[in-house]
Amino acid sequence: EAMQCHIPVITSQSSSMPEVGADAVAYVDPKDVRSISSAMLRIITEDHYRNELIRKSQIQKNIFNWDSTTSIVESVLFSGQIG
């Protein structure tokens, strides 16, 4: 949702977030307050970095959308791979 709104994203470096965000987001250790605050400060103070994240996110967001998800689910359902 943030990517859709042209807002830079800060997210955890765990779980599936690196797959989803690729190089279009700022990664932090979710248990480290300094990691989170450093990412926030960098986005606020470094215009080039912030704008680069936003630019990259406009490309990355197209990989994960409802249209592509629907197509994948339909192809699996109609190919008989489930059930």
Side-chain angles (χ1 to χ4, degrees):
E1 290 176 7
M3 287 180 174
Q4 290 290 349
C5 296
H6 302 264
I7 304 295
V9 175
I10 298 171
T11 191
S12 168
Q13 58 195 12
S14 61
S15 185
S16 64
M17 293 295 96
E19 177 187 353
V20 174
D23 67 343
V25 302
Y27 293 100
V28 298
D29 177 346
K31 296 179 181 178
D32 182 358
V33 172
R34 288 185 186 184
S35 175
I36 298 167
S37 63
S38 292
M40 293 171 70
L41 185 61
R42 185 170 182 202
I43 286 172
I44 291 169
T45 60
E46 295 181 28
D47 292 341
H48 176 70
Y49 178 66
R50 180 180 57 252
N51 292 333
E52 188 66 10
L53 289 179
I54 292 169
R55 184 189 68 75
K56 289 179 178 181
S57 73
Q58 297 310 294
I59 298 165
Q60 185 66 16
K61 72 178 183 181
N62 294 321
I63 296 171
F64 298 94
N65 62 54
W66 284 114
D67 291 334
S68 63
T69 301
T70 301
S71 295
I72 292 168
V73 170
E74 285 177 343
S75 70
V76 170
L77 289 175
F78 295 123
S79 70
Q81 294 179 9
I82 294 182

